Amino acid sequence: MKKVIPLLLLMAAVLAPGLLKAQDLVKGKLDFLKDVTDMQVRFMYNKLVVGEEGREANYIKRKKAEKEAKEPGSGVAWEEAWLGDRKKYYEPQFKESFTQSADIKLTDDSTAATKYIMVVTTKFIEPGYNVGISSHKAGVNLDVEVFDKDNMKKSICKIIMDDVRAGKGQFATGPRIGVAYSKAGKELGRMISRKKG
């Protein structure tokens, strides 16, 4: 018996990470979305941490310096591309995958006649890498909250999405991270589709 318990503990430690869900409904229910076909969406990056750098500002500072050292003037272009990837890759891919999975169309249009607003806050981005002989998936951690348009002070529901990883094959950072957002949108859409009734 003394030998069995340590073995069981070891097996639990090995298997537990695989049992963790990438998404978790931590507040409210999703049945209010049953007949919803359209929803506004807002993406927030104000508390973003990138890789092992900590705050996004630290990551940008380091990458700009690296680019400038190799080619003067390229650091600014890199920063513009890094920030531009949000609208070019992350947000469109999230919206498209979510819409296909949940059958709820997400729109950026603040004048749209929708009852609810989804706020997607990116807490963490792992950019990943691909150098040909070695690669590592990108990953994102997101907080997703849905608000009634008339009351933005208190969310109706909140979903935490941690360690959503994808995009191992892409050489460019933007498309690679974009695939992680696409996977997050798909997983969230499926979750809402199952639980909204």
Side-chain angles (χ1 to χ4, degrees):
M1 185 67 178
K2 288 181 180 180
K3 291 181 180 179
V4 173
I5 292 174
L7 181 61
L8 290 174
L9 290 173
L10 177 62
M11 288 177 62
V14 170
L15 295 174
L19 299 175
L20 294 175
K21 292 191 294 182
Q23 66 274 345
D24 190 18
L25 180 65
V26 295
K27 176 185 177 182
K29 295 183 179 180
L30 300 174
D31 52 358
F32 70 98
L33 295 172
K34 184 175 181 179
D35 297 317
V36 174
T37 57
D38 299 89
M39 192 175 354
Q40 281 185 46
V41 63
R42 295 178 187 168
F43 292 89
M44 308 292 289
Y45 304 90
N46 52 320
K47 296 179 181 177
L48 176 58
V49 170
V50 180
E52 298 177 356
E53 304 288 336
R55 295 185 324 116
E56 182 186 30
N58 297 337
Y59 178 73
I60 291 173
K61 183 179 179 180
R62 180 178 68 81
K63 293 293 286 186
K64 279 178 72 176
E66 286 179 2
K67 297 293 181 183
E68 287 294 324
K70 291 180 182 178
E71 184 183 343
S74 63
V76 173
W78 177 87
E79 182 178 10
E80 289 174 354
W82 168 260
L83 296 174
D85 285 344
R86 297 172 179 180
K87 296 291 184 187
K88 189 174 182 180
Y89 298 108
Y90 311 169
E91 297 170 18
Q93 292 192 42
F94 180 94
K95 290 188 292 184
E96 182 180 354
S97 293
F98 176 85
T99 297
Q100 289 175 354
S101 299
D103 203 24
I104 299 174
K105 183 179 179 183
L106 297 179
T107 177
D108 296 326
D109 184 1
S110 60
T111 64
T114 59
K115 180 173 176 56
Y116 302 108
I117 297 178
M118 176 185 289
V119 177
V120 180
T121 302
T122 303
K123 301 177 293 183
F124 175 79
I125 291 177
E126 168 51 56
Y129 61 85
N130 188 345
V131 292
I133 59 170
S134 178
S135 62
H136 182 67
K137 291 181 180 180
V140 293
N141 292 2
L142 311 174
D143 281 351
V144 180
E145 294 181 275
V146 179
F147 296 82
D148 188 299
K149 196 173 181 180
D150 295 327
N151 182 13
M152 292 298 294
K153 292 183 178 179
K154 186 177 181 182
S155 63
I156 302 169
C157 68
K158 181 176 181 179
I159 298 164
I160 293 176
M161 306 191 73
D162 284 342
D163 201 32
V164 181
R165 293 189 174 267
K168 188 175 181 179
Q170 295 77 5
F171 284 96
T173 304
R176 187 167 56 244
I177 297 171
V179 176
Y181 274 88
S182 177
K183 184 178 179 183
K186 184 177 182 179
E187 288 185 1
L188 178 65
R190 284 178 172 177
M191 179 186 190
I192 288 177
S193 184
R194 287 195 309 268
K195 295 192 175 185
K196 69 181 180 179

